[in-house]
Amino acid sequence: MICVLAGGVGAARFLRGLVQVVPAHDITAIVNTGDDTVLHGLSISPDLDTVTYTLANAIDPVRGWGLENESWTAMSALARFVDVRPHGSASAPTWFNLGDKDLATHFYRTARLREGATLAQVTSEISQSFGVDVHLVPMSNDRVSTFVTLANDCAAGQQGTEITFQEYFVKHQHSVAVSSVRFDGASTASALGLDTLNSAQTVVIAPSNPLVSIAPLRALQGVDAALTKRRESVVAISPIIAGAALKGPADRLMTELGHESSVVGIAKLYAPICGTLIIDTADAHLASKVEAEGMRCVVVDTVMSTPEKSQHLARTTLESAR
Ligand code: GDP
Ligand code: CA
């Protein structure tokens, strides 16, 4: 079994390549649920859905999230309620786009959770319905919610105010500075997939945001300890290339939260739990600095712009773990 610690887009692209190298049923992805939210009363799990839709070849290739050939009739119809909802009401939020077909996923997840199913069960059912054979495991069945604290007064609120991850990421398009991140519920939630984490032949930390996608997993009891114990067969792929994130706020968050936005900053975060760091050719000159943090360093093209590139990166990743 190959175990992959996963956020959203970067992990999904990596998994898309990994299934070309290893049979899908020999792969378990433990997926971040700190981004999960409830809107319109619906339980939404963005990272799980990004991974599922990508592996099903159903992701919208341009947007990078949601389903392809999507329509937005429900979202448009919601607009009529915006003028009548009372001040302060959280109903009819229009800042988080949910496509018509995508809504069906959230309907199903919500209904099954209400019937008493666990998130792991529902996740398995949804991935099965999409024909995905990779085992997708939410990091916990318990609710863990990522919050960020605003570093300055801004449109999102006063300095020191906590907002939810989706308010930060989607509503404010991650354009506001943050001073800290917190994973509410992480200290009491029980981690899923610990057995796989211990027994897998190789553990891969996908090129996902280290501070808001991988950190929630690491905040769960037992995860860092399991990784530390088997550190030599844990491989990470840097989501930072030439100092920048390919997408999203990973680079700014690194700087704002006191880390170096570079492969060296990634090495410092991962060295205790991971023996090998894969960095992009653009960062080849930093390989010795990565090694100085106590990690083996492998240099390869890590930009997964095509399925073939994802496959090549997956193969290199598995080889470098041996
Ligand atoms: P999100 O949950 O959808 O935001 O996605 P992730 O948690 O997976 O984090 C996005 C991170 O993935 C960003 O830091 C990107 O730089 C990184 N990423 C996305 N695509 C690639 C890729 O092709 N190669 C590498 N090395 N990193 C990537
Ligand atoms: Ca995410």
mmCIF file of all heavy atoms in Angstrom, residues 5-6 29-36 48 119-120 123 136-146 183-186 189-194 212-220 223:
data_model
loop_
_atom_site.group_PDB
_atom_site.id
_atom_site.type_symbol
_atom_site.label_atom_id
_atom_site.label_comp_id
_atom_site.label_asym_id
_atom_site.label_seq_id
_atom_site.Cartn_x
_atom_site.Cartn_y
_atom_site.Cartn_z
ATOM 1 N N LEU A 5 -0.658 11.650 1.921
ATOM 2 C CA LEU A 5 -1.303 12.692 2.724
ATOM 3 C C LEU A 5 -1.675 13.830 1.781
ATOM 4 O O LEU A 5 -0.801 14.367 1.086
ATOM 5 C CB LEU A 5 -0.375 13.190 3.837
ATOM 6 C CG LEU A 5 0.171 12.114 4.785
ATOM 7 C CD1 LEU A 5 0.913 12.759 5.951
ATOM 8 C CD2 LEU A 5 -0.944 11.208 5.307
ATOM 9 N N ALA A 6 -2.950 14.183 1.755
ATOM 10 C CA ALA A 6 -3.453 15.006 0.661
ATOM 11 C C ALA A 6 -4.238 16.226 1.098
ATOM 12 O O ALA A 6 -5.038 16.166 2.031
ATOM 13 C CB ALA A 6 -4.357 14.136 -0.231
ATOM 14 N N ALA A 29 -5.401 7.518 0.142
ATOM 15 C CA ALA A 29 -5.151 8.948 0.356
ATOM 16 C C ALA A 29 -5.896 9.385 1.606
ATOM 17 O O ALA A 29 -7.104 9.167 1.725
ATOM 18 C CB ALA A 29 -5.611 9.753 -0.851
ATOM 19 N N ILE A 30 -5.153 9.951 2.544
ATOM 20 C CA ILE A 30 -5.773 10.523 3.742
ATOM 21 C C ILE A 30 -5.905 12.023 3.474
ATOM 22 O O ILE A 30 -4.910 12.711 3.226
ATOM 23 C CB ILE A 30 -4.923 10.241 4.994
ATOM 24 C CG1 ILE A 30 -4.690 8.728 5.152
ATOM 25 C CG2 ILE A 30 -5.604 10.818 6.237
ATOM 26 C CD1 ILE A 30 -3.785 8.345 6.320
ATOM 27 N N VAL A 31 -7.137 12.502 3.461
ATOM 28 C CA VAL A 31 -7.419 13.826 2.901
ATOM 29 C C VAL A 31 -7.824 14.827 3.990
ATOM 30 O O VAL A 31 -8.620 14.515 4.884
ATOM 31 C CB VAL A 31 -8.530 13.721 1.828
ATOM 32 C CG1 VAL A 31 -8.789 15.079 1.174
ATOM 33 C CG2 VAL A 31 -8.171 12.679 0.763
ATOM 34 N N ASN A 32 -7.283 16.031 3.863
ATOM 35 C CA ASN A 32 -7.611 17.134 4.772
ATOM 36 C C ASN A 32 -9.108 17.431 4.782
ATOM 37 O O ASN A 32 -9.739 17.531 3.733
ATOM 38 C CB ASN A 32 -6.857 18.386 4.283
ATOM 39 C CG ASN A 32 -7.279 19.641 5.031
ATOM 40 O OD1 ASN A 32 -7.429 19.628 6.247
ATOM 41 N ND2 ASN A 32 -7.473 20.728 4.296
ATOM 42 N N THR A 33 -9.668 17.603 5.969
ATOM 43 C CA THR A 33 -11.066 18.029 6.070
ATOM 44 C C THR A 33 -11.194 19.332 6.870
ATOM 45 O O THR A 33 -12.300 19.746 7.203
ATOM 46 C CB THR A 33 -11.954 16.943 6.733
ATOM 47 O OG1 THR A 33 -11.419 16.654 8.039
ATOM 48 C CG2 THR A 33 -11.995 15.672 5.900
ATOM 49 N N GLY A 34 -10.048 19.965 7.143
ATOM 50 C CA GLY A 34 -10.089 21.239 7.872
ATOM 51 C C GLY A 34 -10.804 22.339 7.097
ATOM 52 O O GLY A 34 -11.287 23.303 7.681
ATOM 53 N N ASP A 35 -10.873 22.187 5.759
ATOM 54 C CA ASP A 35 -11.555 23.180 4.907
ATOM 55 C C ASP A 35 -13.059 22.942 4.860
ATOM 56 O O ASP A 35 -13.779 23.710 4.236
ATOM 57 C CB ASP A 35 -11.085 23.076 3.445
ATOM 58 C CG ASP A 35 -9.604 23.294 3.247
ATOM 59 O OD1 ASP A 35 -8.884 23.407 4.245
ATOM 60 O OD2 ASP A 35 -9.178 23.328 2.077
ATOM 61 N N ASP A 36 -13.519 21.842 5.453
ATOM 62 C CA ASP A 36 -14.934 21.496 5.331
ATOM 63 C C ASP A 36 -15.795 22.582 5.945
ATOM 64 O O ASP A 36 -15.420 23.235 6.921
ATOM 65 C CB ASP A 36 -15.224 20.150 6.030
ATOM 66 C CG ASP A 36 -14.654 18.969 5.251
ATOM 67 O OD1 ASP A 36 -13.838 19.203 4.362
ATOM 68 O OD2 ASP A 36 -15.034 17.827 5.570
ATOM 69 N N LEU A 48 -11.785 16.671 -0.373
ATOM 70 C CA LEU A 48 -12.237 15.329 -0.764
ATOM 71 C C LEU A 48 -12.863 15.363 -2.156
ATOM 72 O O LEU A 48 -12.604 14.484 -2.994
ATOM 73 C CB LEU A 48 -13.264 14.796 0.246
ATOM 74 C CG LEU A 48 -12.695 14.224 1.545
ATOM 75 C CD1 LEU A 48 -13.800 14.038 2.580
ATOM 76 C CD2 LEU A 48 -11.974 12.892 1.289
ATOM 77 N N LEU A 119 -18.358 10.192 8.068
ATOM 78 C CA LEU A 119 -17.804 10.844 6.873
ATOM 79 C C LEU A 119 -16.989 9.842 6.050
ATOM 80 O O LEU A 119 -16.994 9.890 4.821
ATOM 81 C CB LEU A 119 -16.951 12.058 7.277
ATOM 82 C CG LEU A 119 -16.383 12.871 6.110
ATOM 83 C CD1 LEU A 119 -17.494 13.416 5.215
ATOM 84 C CD2 LEU A 119 -15.513 14.014 6.632
ATOM 85 N N ALA A 120 -16.303 8.918 6.726
ATOM 86 C CA ALA A 120 -15.519 7.908 5.998
ATOM 87 C C ALA A 120 -16.425 7.027 5.132
ATOM 88 O O ALA A 120 -16.105 6.736 3.977
ATOM 89 C CB ALA A 120 -14.717 7.057 6.982
ATOM 90 N N THR A 123 -17.739 9.115 2.217
ATOM 91 C CA THR A 123 -16.657 9.384 1.273
ATOM 92 C C THR A 123 -16.427 8.174 0.375
ATOM 93 O O THR A 123 -16.249 8.295 -0.841
ATOM 94 C CB THR A 123 -15.367 9.725 2.052
ATOM 95 O OG1 THR A 123 -15.618 10.907 2.811
ATOM 96 C CG2 THR A 123 -14.193 9.954 1.123
ATOM 97 N N LEU A 136 -10.129 6.612 -0.514
ATOM 98 C CA LEU A 136 -10.094 7.985 -0.006
ATOM 99 C C LEU A 136 -10.610 7.979 1.421
ATOM 100 O O LEU A 136 -11.718 7.521 1.691
ATOM 101 C CB LEU A 136 -10.955 8.910 -0.871
ATOM 102 C CG LEU A 136 -10.544 9.052 -2.332
ATOM 103 C CD1 LEU A 136 -11.434 10.070 -3.040
ATOM 104 C CD2 LEU A 136 -9.079 9.449 -2.441
ATOM 105 N N VAL A 137 -9.783 8.482 2.328
ATOM 106 C CA VAL A 137 -10.125 8.472 3.744
ATOM 107 C C VAL A 137 -10.071 9.907 4.259
ATOM 108 O O VAL A 137 -9.039 10.569 4.128
ATOM 109 C CB VAL A 137 -9.102 7.609 4.536
ATOM 110 C CG1 VAL A 137 -9.451 7.585 6.011
ATOM 111 C CG2 VAL A 137 -9.040 6.197 3.976
ATOM 112 N N PRO A 138 -11.168 10.414 4.807
ATOM 113 C CA PRO A 138 -11.077 11.736 5.432
ATOM 114 C C PRO A 138 -10.153 11.638 6.643
ATOM 115 O O PRO A 138 -10.087 10.584 7.273
ATOM 116 C CB PRO A 138 -12.519 12.038 5.862
ATOM 117 C CG PRO A 138 -13.197 10.723 5.939
ATOM 118 C CD PRO A 138 -12.478 9.783 4.996
ATOM 119 N N MET A 139 -9.442 12.693 6.970
ATOM 120 C CA MET A 139 -8.449 12.603 8.054
ATOM 121 C C MET A 139 -9.093 12.254 9.393
ATOM 122 O O MET A 139 -8.435 11.710 10.267
ATOM 123 C CB MET A 139 -7.650 13.900 8.163
ATOM 124 C CG MET A 139 -8.466 15.092 8.621
ATOM 125 S SD MET A 139 -7.420 16.570 8.657
ATOM 126 C CE MET A 139 -8.476 17.666 9.643
ATOM 127 N N SER A 140 -10.385 12.556 9.531
ATOM 128 C CA SER A 140 -11.105 12.213 10.760
ATOM 129 C C SER A 140 -12.594 12.184 10.465
ATOM 130 O O SER A 140 -13.065 12.875 9.557
ATOM 131 C CB SER A 140 -10.815 13.253 11.853
ATOM 132 O OG SER A 140 -11.539 12.942 13.030
ATOM 133 N N ASN A 141 -13.339 11.392 11.237
ATOM 134 C CA ASN A 141 -14.795 11.467 11.172
ATOM 135 C C ASN A 141 -15.316 12.607 12.030
ATOM 136 O O ASN A 141 -16.479 12.991 11.929
ATOM 137 C CB ASN A 141 -15.424 10.159 11.664
ATOM 138 C CG ASN A 141 -15.377 9.084 10.591
ATOM 139 O OD1 ASN A 141 -15.514 9.371 9.404
ATOM 140 N ND2 ASN A 141 -15.158 7.845 11.015
ATOM 141 N N ASP A 142 -14.452 13.125 12.895
ATOM 142 C CA ASP A 142 -14.846 14.217 13.786
ATOM 143 C C ASP A 142 -14.592 15.550 13.089
ATOM 144 O O ASP A 142 -13.691 15.672 12.278
ATOM 145 C CB ASP A 142 -14.037 14.140 15.088
ATOM 146 C CG ASP A 142 -14.173 12.774 15.740
ATOM 147 O OD1 ASP A 142 -15.292 12.230 15.740
ATOM 148 O OD2 ASP A 142 -13.146 12.228 16.212
ATOM 149 N N ARG A 143 -15.371 16.521 13.480
ATOM 150 C CA ARG A 143 -15.253 17.827 12.836
ATOM 151 C C ARG A 143 -13.996 18.554 13.314
ATOM 152 O O ARG A 143 -13.819 18.779 14.514
ATOM 153 C CB ARG A 143 -16.524 18.637 13.167
ATOM 154 C CG ARG A 143 -16.666 19.940 12.410
ATOM 155 C CD ARG A 143 -17.078 19.696 10.957
ATOM 156 N NE ARG A 143 -16.921 20.918 10.192
ATOM 157 C CZ ARG A 143 -17.854 21.852 10.092
ATOM 158 N NH1 ARG A 143 -19.020 21.702 10.676
ATOM 159 N NH2 ARG A 143 -17.630 22.954 9.400
ATOM 160 N N VAL A 144 -13.128 18.906 12.371
ATOM 161 C CA VAL A 144 -11.959 19.749 12.639
ATOM 162 C C VAL A 144 -12.085 20.932 11.688
ATOM 163 O O VAL A 144 -12.287 20.738 10.489
ATOM 164 C CB VAL A 144 -10.645 18.986 12.375
ATOM 165 C CG1 VAL A 144 -9.443 19.905 12.589
ATOM 166 C CG2 VAL A 144 -10.536 17.754 13.264
ATOM 167 N N SER A 145 -12.012 22.144 12.214
ATOM 168 C CA SER A 145 -12.253 23.318 11.371
ATOM 169 C C SER A 145 -11.088 24.282 11.440
ATOM 170 O O SER A 145 -10.692 24.720 12.515
ATOM 171 C CB SER A 145 -13.524 24.058 11.828
ATOM 172 O OG SER A 145 -14.620 23.177 11.823
ATOM 173 N N THR A 146 -10.573 24.628 10.274
ATOM 174 C CA THR A 146 -9.454 25.560 10.188
ATOM 175 C C THR A 146 -9.959 26.999 10.282
ATOM 176 O O THR A 146 -10.898 27.385 9.573
ATOM 177 C CB THR A 146 -8.692 25.353 8.860
ATOM 178 O OG1 THR A 146 -8.252 24.002 8.815
ATOM 179 C CG2 THR A 146 -7.512 26.302 8.741
ATOM 180 N N PHE A 183 -6.639 24.891 14.240
ATOM 181 C CA PHE A 183 -7.446 23.763 13.771
ATOM 182 C C PHE A 183 -8.386 23.355 14.903
ATOM 183 O O PHE A 183 -8.035 22.524 15.741
ATOM 184 C CB PHE A 183 -6.543 22.617 13.324
ATOM 185 C CG PHE A 183 -5.473 23.090 12.373
ATOM 186 C CD1 PHE A 183 -4.130 23.039 12.726
ATOM 187 C CD2 PHE A 183 -5.826 23.636 11.148
ATOM 188 C CE1 PHE A 183 -3.161 23.506 11.866
ATOM 189 C CE2 PHE A 183 -4.859 24.116 10.283
ATOM 190 C CZ PHE A 183 -3.520 24.054 10.643
ATOM 191 N N ASP A 184 -9.550 23.980 14.909
ATOM 192 C CA ASP A 184 -10.494 23.767 16.000
ATOM 193 C C ASP A 184 -10.956 22.308 16.021
ATOM 194 O O ASP A 184 -11.380 21.781 14.996
ATOM 195 C CB ASP A 184 -11.698 24.708 15.814
ATOM 196 C CG ASP A 184 -12.626 24.692 17.009
ATOM 197 O OD1 ASP A 184 -12.173 25.059 18.109
ATOM 198 O OD2 ASP A 184 -13.788 24.270 16.856
ATOM 199 N N GLY A 185 -10.867 21.687 17.175
ATOM 200 C CA GLY A 185 -11.318 20.298 17.308
ATOM 201 C C GLY A 185 -10.211 19.270 17.121
ATOM 202 O O GLY A 185 -10.408 18.083 17.387
ATOM 203 N N ALA A 186 -9.040 19.723 16.657
ATOM 204 C CA ALA A 186 -7.981 18.755 16.310
ATOM 205 C C ALA A 186 -7.459 17.995 17.527
ATOM 206 O O ALA A 186 -7.064 16.833 17.414
ATOM 207 C CB ALA A 186 -6.834 19.469 15.605
ATOM 208 N N ALA A 189 -10.151 15.217 18.176
ATOM 209 C CA ALA A 189 -10.599 14.385 17.048
ATOM 210 C C ALA A 189 -9.734 13.143 16.941
ATOM 211 O O ALA A 189 -8.541 13.190 17.236
ATOM 212 C CB ALA A 189 -10.506 15.187 15.755
ATOM 213 N N SER A 190 -10.313 12.020 16.522
ATOM 214 C CA SER A 190 -9.422 10.871 16.309
ATOM 215 C C SER A 190 -9.087 10.725 14.834
ATOM 216 O O SER A 190 -9.943 10.833 13.947
ATOM 217 C CB SER A 190 -9.959 9.576 16.918
ATOM 218 O OG SER A 190 -11.261 9.383 16.552
ATOM 219 N N ALA A 191 -7.806 10.507 14.608
ATOM 220 C CA ALA A 191 -7.285 10.418 13.240
ATOM 221 C C ALA A 191 -7.732 9.112 12.606
ATOM 222 O O ALA A 191 -7.759 8.074 13.256
ATOM 223 C CB ALA A 191 -5.764 10.491 13.269
ATOM 224 N N LEU A 192 -8.048 9.148 11.321
ATOM 225 C CA LEU A 192 -8.310 7.930 10.564
ATOM 226 C C LEU A 192 -7.063 7.578 9.758
ATOM 227 O O LEU A 192 -6.249 8.450 9.449
ATOM 228 C CB LEU A 192 -9.496 8.137 9.617
ATOM 229 C CG LEU A 192 -10.849 8.378 10.277
ATOM 230 C CD1 LEU A 192 -11.920 8.671 9.226
ATOM 231 C CD2 LEU A 192 -11.273 7.181 11.127
ATOM 232 N N GLY A 193 -6.929 6.314 9.426
ATOM 233 C CA GLY A 193 -5.837 5.890 8.549
ATOM 234 C C GLY A 193 -4.511 5.678 9.253
ATOM 235 O O GLY A 193 -3.494 5.484 8.593
ATOM 236 N N LEU A 194 -4.481 5.683 10.602
ATOM 237 C CA LEU A 194 -3.197 5.518 11.305
ATOM 238 C C LEU A 194 -2.574 4.153 11.022
ATOM 239 O O LEU A 194 -1.349 4.046 10.890
ATOM 240 C CB LEU A 194 -3.375 5.710 12.813
ATOM 241 C CG LEU A 194 -3.445 7.167 13.321
ATOM 242 C CD1 LEU A 194 -3.625 7.207 14.829
ATOM 243 C CD2 LEU A 194 -2.210 7.965 12.909
ATOM 244 N N VAL A 212 -2.015 24.857 5.758
ATOM 245 C CA VAL A 212 -3.468 24.732 5.920
ATOM 246 C C VAL A 212 -4.053 23.454 5.323
ATOM 247 O O VAL A 212 -5.241 23.191 5.483
ATOM 248 C CB VAL A 212 -4.240 25.973 5.369
ATOM 249 C CG1 VAL A 212 -3.960 27.198 6.224
ATOM 250 C CG2 VAL A 212 -3.915 26.242 3.917
ATOM 251 N N SER A 213 -3.242 22.653 4.626
ATOM 252 C CA SER A 213 -3.763 21.372 4.126
ATOM 253 C C SER A 213 -3.091 20.180 4.811
ATOM 254 O O SER A 213 -3.767 19.235 5.212
ATOM 255 C CB SER A 213 -3.559 21.255 2.605
ATOM 256 O OG SER A 213 -4.354 22.200 1.930
ATOM 257 N N ILE A 214 -1.766 20.222 4.956
ATOM 258 C CA ILE A 214 -1.061 19.118 5.618
ATOM 259 C C ILE A 214 -1.030 19.344 7.145
ATOM 260 O O ILE A 214 -1.157 18.392 7.917
ATOM 261 C CB ILE A 214 0.374 18.972 5.056
ATOM 262 C CG1 ILE A 214 0.328 18.712 3.522
ATOM 263 C CG2 ILE A 214 1.130 17.845 5.762
ATOM 264 C CD1 ILE A 214 -0.415 17.462 3.085
ATOM 265 N N ALA A 215 -0.914 20.594 7.571
ATOM 266 C CA ALA A 215 -0.861 20.864 9.025
ATOM 267 C C ALA A 215 -2.090 20.363 9.791
ATOM 268 O O ALA A 215 -1.937 19.873 10.911
ATOM 269 C CB ALA A 215 -0.623 22.360 9.281
ATOM 270 N N PRO A 216 -3.313 20.461 9.241
ATOM 271 C CA PRO A 216 -4.459 19.918 9.995
ATOM 272 C C PRO A 216 -4.323 18.415 10.258
ATOM 273 O O PRO A 216 -4.637 17.937 11.348
ATOM 274 C CB PRO A 216 -5.663 20.212 9.094
ATOM 275 C CG PRO A 216 -5.223 21.316 8.197
ATOM 276 C CD PRO A 216 -3.742 21.157 8.008
ATOM 277 N N LEU A 217 -3.810 17.681 9.268
ATOM 278 C CA LEU A 217 -3.581 16.235 9.479
ATOM 279 C C LEU A 217 -2.556 16.036 10.585
ATOM 280 O O LEU A 217 -2.718 15.182 11.470
ATOM 281 C CB LEU A 217 -3.049 15.604 8.189
ATOM 282 C CG LEU A 217 -4.038 15.126 7.144
ATOM 283 C CD1 LEU A 217 -4.092 16.053 5.956
ATOM 284 C CD2 LEU A 217 -3.625 13.757 6.683
ATOM 285 N N ARG A 218 -1.486 16.815 10.513
ATOM 286 C CA ARG A 218 -0.397 16.673 11.495
ATOM 287 C C ARG A 218 -0.839 17.066 12.895
ATOM 288 O O ARG A 218 -0.204 16.668 13.879
ATOM 289 C CB ARG A 218 0.808 17.526 11.068
ATOM 290 C CG ARG A 218 1.449 17.101 9.768
ATOM 291 C CD ARG A 218 2.684 17.918 9.455
ATOM 292 N NE ARG A 218 3.728 17.761 10.474
ATOM 293 C CZ ARG A 218 4.883 18.409 10.455
ATOM 294 N NH1 ARG A 218 5.143 19.267 9.481
ATOM 295 N NH2 ARG A 218 5.774 18.208 11.408
ATOM 296 N N ALA A 219 -1.888 17.874 12.974
ATOM 297 C CA ALA A 219 -2.363 18.316 14.288
ATOM 298 C C ALA A 219 -3.132 17.218 15.012
ATOM 299 O O ALA A 219 -3.389 17.321 16.206
ATOM 300 C CB ALA A 219 -3.255 19.553 14.111
ATOM 301 N N LEU A 220 -3.508 16.158 14.289
ATOM 302 C CA LEU A 220 -4.267 15.077 14.922
ATOM 303 C C LEU A 220 -3.330 14.173 15.709
ATOM 304 O O LEU A 220 -2.204 13.891 15.281
ATOM 305 C CB LEU A 220 -5.006 14.259 13.851
ATOM 306 C CG LEU A 220 -6.020 15.043 13.014
ATOM 307 C CD1 LEU A 220 -6.564 14.172 11.890
ATOM 308 C CD2 LEU A 220 -7.164 15.543 13.894
ATOM 309 N N VAL A 223 -0.423 11.298 14.401
ATOM 310 C CA VAL A 223 0.015 11.359 13.001
ATOM 311 C C VAL A 223 1.513 11.673 12.920
ATOM 312 O O VAL A 223 2.281 10.933 12.295
ATOM 313 C CB VAL A 223 -0.814 12.382 12.191
ATOM 314 C CG1 VAL A 223 -0.229 12.573 10.792
ATOM 315 C CG2 VAL A 223 -2.266 11.918 12.102
#
